[in-house]
Amino acid sequence: MADTTDERIKEISPLRRALIRPELGGMVGTVAVFTLFALFAFDSGMFNSQGVMNWSIVSAQFMIIAVGACLLMIAGEFDLSVGSMIGFAGMMIAVFGVVLAWPMWIAILITFVICCALGALNGWIVVRTGLPSFIVTLAFLFILRGFTIYIPQTVERKTIIGGIRDAAEGDWLAPIFGGKIGQPIFQWLGDMGVIGVFERGTRAGQPVVDGIPMLIVWAIALIIFGHILLTRTRFGNWIFAAGGDAEAARNSGVPVNKVKILMFMFTAFCATVFAVCQVMEFGSAGADRGLLKEFEAIIAVVIGGALLTGGYGSVIGAALGALIFGVVQQGLFFAGVESSLFRVFLGVILLFAVILNTYIRRIITGER
Amino acid sequence: MADTTDERIKEISPLRRALIRPELGGMVGTVAVFTLFALFAFDSGMFNSQGVMNWSIVSAQFMIIAVGACLLMIAGEFDLSVGSMIGFAGMMIAVFGVVLAWPMWIAILITFVICCALGALNGWIVVRTGLPSFIVTLAFLFILRGFTIYIPQTVERKTIIGGIRDAAEGDWLAPIFGGKIGQPIFQWLGDMGVIGVFERGTRAGQPVVDGIPMLIVWAIALIIFGHILLTRTRFGNWIFAAGGDAEAARNSGVPVNKVKILMFMFTAFCATVFAVCQVMEFGSAGADRGLLKEFEAIIAVVIGGALLTGGYGSVIGAALGALIFGVVQQGLFFAGVESSLFRVFLGVILLFAVILNTYIRRIITGER
Amino acid sequence: EGEKYILVSHAPDSDTWWNTIKNGIALAGEQVGAEVEYRNPPTGDIADMARIIEQATASGPDGIITTLADFDVLKGPISAAVDQGIDVIIMNTGTPEQAREIGALMYVGQPEYDAGFAAGQRAKDEGVTNFLCVNHAIQQPTVGERCRGYADGLGIDLGDSMMDSGTDPSEIKNKVLAYLSANPDVDGILTLGPVSADPTIAALQENGMAGAIHFGTFDLGEEIVKGIKDGTINWGIDQQPFLQAYMPVVILANWDRFGVLPGNNINSGPGFVTKDALTKVEEFAGEYR
Amino acid sequence: MADPIIQMKEIQKHFGSVIALAGVSVDVFPGECHCLLGDNGAGKSTFIKTMSGVHKPTSGEIVFEGQPLDFADPRDAIAAGIATVHQHLAMIPLMSVSRNFFMGNEPVRKIAGLSFFDHDYANRVTMEEMRNMGINLRGPDQAVGTLSGGERQTVAIARAVHFGAKVLILDEPTSALGVRQTANVLATIDKVRKQGIAVVFITHNVRHAMAVGDRFTVLNRGQTLGTAVRGEITPEELQDMMAGGQEMVQLEGSLGGTV
Amino acid sequence: MADPIIQMKEIQKHFGSVIALAGVSVDVFPGECHCLLGDNGAGKSTFIKTMSGVHKPTSGEIVFEGQPLDFADPRDAIAAGIATVHQHLAMIPLMSVSRNFFMGNEPVRKIAGLSFFDHDYANRVTMEEMRNMGINLRGPDQAVGTLSGGERQTVAIARAVHFGAKVLILDEPTSALGVRQTANVLATIDKVRKQGIAVVFITHNVRHAMAVGDRFTVLNRGQTLGTAVRGEITPEELQDMMAGGQEMVQLEGSLGGTV
Ligand SMILES: Nc1ncnc2c1ncn2[C@@H]1O[C@H](COP(=O)(O)OP(=O)(O)OP(=O)(O)O)[C@@H](O)[C@H]1O
Ligand SMILES: Nc1ncnc2c1ncn2[C@@H]1O[C@H](COP(=O)(O)OP(=O)(O)OP(=O)(O)O)[C@@H](O)[C@H]1O
Ligand SMILES: [Mg+2]
Ligand SMILES: [Mg+2]
């Protein structure tokens, strides 16, 4: 019983072994995408400071919802109501903060509570009835969107409620979602000529990029949190287990229902972060916000190597998936591709990414 | 070994046994929905000849795509590209029949060939790569919608192409999709005063409902075909087997890949029937056609008792699901419910229906 | 008294502009004492809209007010309603000729192409030579007509100047930013409604081109009004949706009660809203304007 | 003899119209290996599932260490000291062996006041325990899905043994195992029993049962046919009881006595 | 002896970096029961999967009735007369027993020139065959998912036997079975063999193998340790070979010889 080697296992080179990880597909994709755009759209402004900020923000948005969707998907469920939740959360803030004129921080906190509770409700129905989350969250997709249109229509006779920026003026919590950090550094960089300054208009002399929006900070924070939670904690092991085989996990003492409900809540939390950042930036909440975002989140996660059926994936991968998604979307504009073809590209990239990921996963898990 | 009774099985009443079938949820739902609207919207015109025709047509539309989605879902896959396929098919007919001015029957036949081929491509990718159909067909959702916008935009500078009815004038194939049958009967009913007649205009004196549209004939034909195929043929057994456990079915000699690909093609076929009926009736193809129809098809099928994960369901159930969906949608309009609440109702009904169906299925398959 | 009028639009649930229409019919219904309902296809699918008109016909209202988003599709259902003795008024989209052809009483609105054309001519006079048209509803055939008209009015080929922007504000903003930095020679922007205008304003403020680039938009909203005021937007084309909704109800009620009818169609737009006359607009933007 | 560690009293379990258990009573003592035998569908798995908190009994009482007990879910049972290796395994194919091994019992290490999964410890222990069971892994991060059925079974048993419980329930642990692994499992049962742990061992193999069993309870169609003590019953008698009273197929000639 | 019905020559099968079979040659003759034995992970299931068309061998040749053969998928193998009961069953839980029984071999009845599934016939045959195997069904439309593991195994075997093939492959058919069902299966193997059908029987149970086997091939780590003929080998020798050459755990005292 002492032989620790097995002659039936062919050699795998250490390099190959180090490379073969769930994120690999996302890494390859990222490199490919950047190479491509560096070749075809380099002088379009895509890689100057403003251009970089441009696709970074779009990617950060995708990342925020992708982190939630990723953990949930690894836990074996998914949430089609993310998009509607974004619209709903924004509207709640507008209703509380503008219509009812409560202090903005209360409006934000209450919105977080309501949305996480809705996420929990989603999860509770899924675990209690054993229904597929596709159906349950599809129902919530419709229900939440319906209320998002109905509520402002009833209370304000509008479907866009503006004035949120004014209402948030001087609030302590709002800048955590809508502010920017690092302005002095950017001003200095602008003065040094590292990044361009505006040449005309009202802001002439200011640097074209004047700070890092909190949106990006949130994205990075959520990615780090999600990654550590998943790979380095006991709870992370439970997430994998719940998604890999709920029955087996339950038999082994993993509180599967709790894990799933918490992940639904976390997804709702991420959607709310997205919504709050958005309403703080644009100052208005509309009934049409977040349309189709649920698909975009799922696509980013899947491009990042997670398995739609659960139990396998990585937050870093999902973040790379979101980056690819964001860069491709904006890059096509920089490259001047006819914009209606964007969907075609998106579909094709999605297909290629998942095929690559499947190949990688087969190698990892042994060709089953 | 002779005792054929087992004392461990409690008695089930024959009535209960006869009732407990996949369609039961759909049947209960249908009765409930009709009762409800008969109570609350009886005098709104919902049950006059025109009203009946109205929700019948809407339901028939749902039925056509639900039959395809149902068989595909029982075979263990689903197709999110149905809606885009509807838009795409309509646009193809317009491009061939109007822009290129080919004879309409050729345009229709070629469109069928292209769409079934796309369905086969969907299926081929799914079975070859083993990817979940959610992802593959999501990619096609984007790709096909992208082309549906791009093509007319490029050739005609519009996203809508009209003039199909004129191009179809005198064609032999077009009336099979866009015509009506039973006009003499309806004329007679109109003359007898059973159904209303037009009061003015060029059609004064003609009955307001002047025939059964081919759409309804197609729906009924597809339901009968699907039901017989599923329950009464060898191929039907294969559909169940492919969806229940593809590996086990394959090991037993069921040509699972062939079954799945054929079902993807059938779904595409149903979508094309939908599209052709639509463009023939309305005379134009637009990039907005079929939006979200994939969800509506899936919802109808699930309300009708099929299992999202495959291997279980019934075409009759799916047809009833489509009927419920159509009646509720139009009935809410008749009942004058605020239109933004429609989605809320839809979501709630969906939830109730699936919970009821799950309960029924547990009884049938023994509480697992 | 107590007549029932149904307004059917082609707009998806998510299109926020139609809110003014809802408010318009509600107010008119209240004032004339008629029952009014608003209906729309949830996804904006015009074929579904045809079914809704058929449904509305079946429920036997006294009048139907509807848009004519796609003449081919809606011709049948609308003329069937007319032939059953239901009075129809066409609003918003379509043309007076089409309205006459299907037997509608009249037309209240702003033909999309013509409005776009007028906007294009005005922009041309104001020196626009190269433009971007931000279309947030590419799948809807009607609003795209505005871009087409605008391009023809300018006398430029539409080419790929029409952007499929989607409806998410951040995406629209960043797509506009990307497009402008990739195409520095663009000197005119047209947005097709508040959904695309609001983020475009934000984009121009961010890249400092606010006021430096010619910016016209369709329809009004809070942010648009602010934009006009601070000079970011040169003009907004007001098609006065409130009128499009309010007038038909009032006209139908008077037609039903007293048999009186204006002798002409009502062109509710295009009216160019500039900095000068803004107070009323400001107060009611998004609600009645 | 000491007090029973777990007493199952008149347990009934109905699934819809199916009566899986029609009142079964069994006592298990510390340090004994209690074999549960019976035909297919006799209700053995159902019975031990009520013991391990997976199913709630329809009626009947469970007494654990003298206290009446009511498990809400398997976690409670595990916390109370009842470890179970289910017939349909409790392994997650996509997860690594070491993650599977510690699933639900993850070792944690505190860093800056926060608890983190201690991967080094988990990997080390897993490799060791698997080597003890005679399985050579490529590495602790190998996915369970790449193991053969028997290898997976072995991981599951090694895990249950490692987290030394007061009661160890094994549902047909040897059915998919090779000779060597079977010998290993039986030796393990023997070892565990000698440590004073109660073992409940389900098998269809009379010889495996006779090898390690102290007492034998035979279930038949949801009811118990009684409990026998080792030495008081011959393998042949046991075999007849397991066949459930229905007449045996005629196998006397070539096949008799071999099953 | 007649010609072998199926000859497997130097079969190799690699999965990615795993070599599951490293050149295995086996002949199977009509009317014999050929037992395939070996440790967990030895490659038995992989081997018979190449025989039944599930896997394509990486290299090596299969000769069936004297003809070199190349199955594209299991359907071809079934058509050629090779029926297999796989270790991980071939049953669909949500489908009725009778639909499962005839899966892939549906009986058809012509009505107006069209072929329809003959449900009456299928139901009748299913009930009969299941009764013969000692399983009492509630009805032919009972879902397989409501059967116990052993009951499902029995359905799978009954099905393979019913569609009387030239070669019947059984992958650990008795591992989950009760005494009575095991006896039934062994008797069935015996019966089938006497009809001149070749049976390939995989088991870990030496006694089951000795009861019905004519020849015994032992696999170890993807290679064959040779084939023995009944009577030339004792159960003890076989057991040693199955344990795969690695030294046995010390079980001599209480447990020896019982496995
Ligand atoms: N969840 C369930 N729903 C319905 N019936 C069930 C369920 N679980 C078990 N049964 C039924 O209860 C009876 C006992 O099943 P159980 O699995 O306990 O048998 P077993 O003794 O473990 O059999 P085996 O030796 O084949 O594993 C069987 O008839 C089975 O069909
Ligand atoms: N699809 C596959 N992909 C990767 N490795 C595989 C695959 N199938 C089998 N293996 C590996 O091949 C080896 C042989 O497996 P196989 O299932 O044939 O063993 P076995 O003899 O049937 O074992 P048991 O008695 O446990 O059923 C094992 O190490 C297994 O991990
Ligand atoms: Mg069992
Ligand atoms: Mg095996």
Side-chain angles (χ1 to χ4, degrees), chain B residues 44 48 50 54 57 153 157 160 162-163 165 198-200 278 281-282 284 288-290 293 333-334 343, chain C residues 13 39 42-48 51 54-55 58-59 70 72-73 80 82-84 86 139 141 148 162:
Chain B
S44 66
N48 67 26
Q50 236 176 334
N54 181 259
I57 291 180
Q153 180 87 22
R157 302 232 155 284
I160 199 160
R165 220 165 358 203
F198 286 115
E199 289 166 16
R200 59 189 184 186
Q278 194 172 67
E281 180 180 353
F282 294 127
S284 80
D288 59 340
R289 300 294 149 78
K293 284 276 177 283
F333 288 129
F334 277 105
R343 285 162 190 248
Chain C
D13 279 355
R39 281 164 206 177
T43 59
D45 186 332
I46 291 172
D48 287 347
R51 301 282 174 238
E54 288 173 355
Q55 180 277 326
S59 69
D70 180 344
D72 283 318
V73 172
V82 170
D83 291 350
Q84 280 173 62
I86 297 170
Q139 282 143 341
R148 233 161 44 90
M162 180 161 83

Side-chain angles (χ1 to χ4, degrees), chain C residues 222 225-226 229 278-285 289:
Chain C
E222 274 176 66
V225 172
K226 271 190 225 156
K229 209 156 91 182
L278 268 179
T279 23
K280 269 280 161 24
V281 175
E282 208 177 344
E283 187 179 348
F284 294 113
R289 289 300 295 257

Side-chain angles (χ1 to χ4, degrees), chain A:
Chain A
M1 222 151 301
D3 55 344
T4 44
T5 62
D6 194 324
E7 78 285 359
R8 288 181 306 162
I9 294 170
K10 291 186 217 163
E11 267 297 310
I12 307 181
S13 79
L15 177 71
R16 193 162 174 213
R17 199 155 178 176
L19 275 177
I20 298 290
R21 39 191 20 250
E23 298 91 349
L24 178 60
M27 291 175 180
V28 173
T30 309
V31 172
V33 160
F34 275 104
T35 316
L36 221 72
F37 283 112
L39 289 177
F40 291 108
F42 190 77
D43 45 7
S44 66
M46 184 172 174
F47 295 101
N48 65 25
S49 54
Q50 224 177 343
V52 170
M53 188 50 75
N54 184 284
W55 49 255
S56 299
I57 290 179
V58 172
S59 302
Q61 280 199 318
F62 288 133
M63 284 174 191
I64 288 176
I65 47 174
V67 172
C70 175
L71 291 185
L72 183 63
M73 198 184 285
I74 294 175
E77 307 290 339
F78 55 79
D79 190 347
L80 293 181
S81 68
V82 168
S84 298
M85 186 71 87
I86 290 173
F88 183 78
M91 198 50 80
M92 285 299 100
I93 290 178
V95 168
F96 294 129
V98 177
V99 179
L100 302 181
W102 295 355
M104 195 45 74
W105 62 272
I106 295 186
I108 294 176
L109 290 184
I110 288 199
T111 301
F112 269 103
V113 170
I114 292 178
C115 291
C116 289
L118 284 170
L121 179 62
N122 253 332
W124 183 81
I125 295 177
V126 167
V127 301
R128 273 307 303 265
T129 59
L131 290 172
S133 46
F134 183 94
I135 295 296
V136 174
T137 59
L138 184 60
F140 271 85
L141 181 157
F142 288 114
I143 294 174
L144 290 180
R145 182 64 68 194
F147 280 124
T148 309
I149 298 169
Y150 180 74
I151 293 175
Q153 178 71 38
T154 318
V155 300
E156 278 283 88
R157 278 177 287 129
K158 294 183 191 179
T159 40
I160 298 185
I161 299 184
I164 297 177
R165 225 170 349 209
D166 303 334
E169 204 68 68
D171 191 76
W172 63 270
L173 188 58
I176 295 185
F177 295 93
K180 289 187 179 185
I181 59 169
Q183 279 98 333
I185 302 173
F186 282 89
Q187 184 63 54
W188 179 78
L189 286 174
D191 296 344
M192 300 300 291
V194 180
I195 52 180
V197 292
F198 287 115
E199 286 160 20
R200 54 179 187 179
T202 48
R203 295 168 62 191
Q206 293 177 19
V208 290
V209 175
D210 67 347
I212 295 179
M214 285 305 293
L215 187 76
I216 294 183
V217 178
W218 270 101
I220 294 172
L222 284 172
I223 291 167
I224 294 173
F225 171 78
H227 180 69
I228 290 180
L229 182 74
L230 188 64
T231 57
R232 302 251 163 266
T233 70
R234 155 180 293 199
F235 194 81
N237 207 39
W238 292 353
I239 296 176
F240 279 118
D245 184 340
E247 202 52 38
R250 207 169 274 132
N251 286 345
S252 304
V254 174
V256 172
N257 291 355
K258 201 172 108 187
V259 171
K260 293 199 168 181
I261 292 176
L262 278 172
M263 286 303 101
F264 272 105
M265 290 174 71
F266 183 66
T267 310
F269 176 85
C270 291
T272 313
V273 170
F274 182 105
V276 179
C277 288
Q278 195 170 66
V279 296
M280 289 307 150
E281 180 179 354
F282 290 100
S284 73
D288 57 349
R289 299 290 154 78
L291 278 178
L292 287 187
K293 281 279 173 277
E294 55 279 353
F295 282 142
E296 296 176 353
I298 291 173
I299 290 174
V301 174
V302 170
I303 291 180
L307 196 57
L308 194 72
T309 46
Y312 185 88
S314 112
V315 173
I316 301 290
L320 291 175
L323 182 64
I324 294 175
F325 198 156
V327 169
V328 169
Q329 175 173 318
Q330 295 308 110
L332 290 178
F333 282 98
F334 280 105
V337 174
E338 160 68 35
S339 56
S340 55
L341 281 181
F342 163 63
R343 293 157 206 265
V344 177
F345 277 95
L346 179 61
V348 172
I349 288 171
L350 175 62
L351 269 187
F352 272 107
V354 283
I355 290 172
L356 175 64
N357 284 328
T358 311
Y359 175 72
I360 294 167
R361 193 180 58 250
R362 294 241 167 103
I363 293 178
I364 299 181
T365 58
E367 188 94 9
R368 306 241 170 187

Side-chain angles (χ1 to χ4, degrees), chain E residues 189-201:
Chain E
I189 292 178
D190 193 42
K191 205 165 66 191
V192 167
R193 174 182 55 180
K194 285 188 181 130
Q195 290 165 10
I197 295 171
V199 179
V200 177
F201 175 37

Side-chain angles (χ1 to χ4, degrees), chain D residues 36-90:
Chain D
L36 215 52
L37 307 163
D39 218 355
N40 290 129
K44 303 180 297 297
S45 299
T46 308
F47 184 68
I48 60 106
K49 279 183 184 163
T50 63
M51 211 185 268
S52 63
V54 174
H55 291 323
K56 259 199 160 15
T58 310
S59 75
E61 206 192 349
I62 306 179
V63 180
F64 185 70
E65 293 184 321
Q67 309 263 304
L69 208 143
D70 193 22
F71 296 134
D73 63 35
R75 215 170 155 68
D76 291 352
I78 292 169
I82 301 178
T84 313
V85 178
H86 289 279
Q87 186 171 15
H88 302 291
L89 302 171

Side-chain angles (χ1 to χ4, degrees), chain E residues 44-45 87 171-172:
Chain E
K44 304 179 297 296
S45 298
Q87 186 171 12
D171 192 356
E172 304 196 23

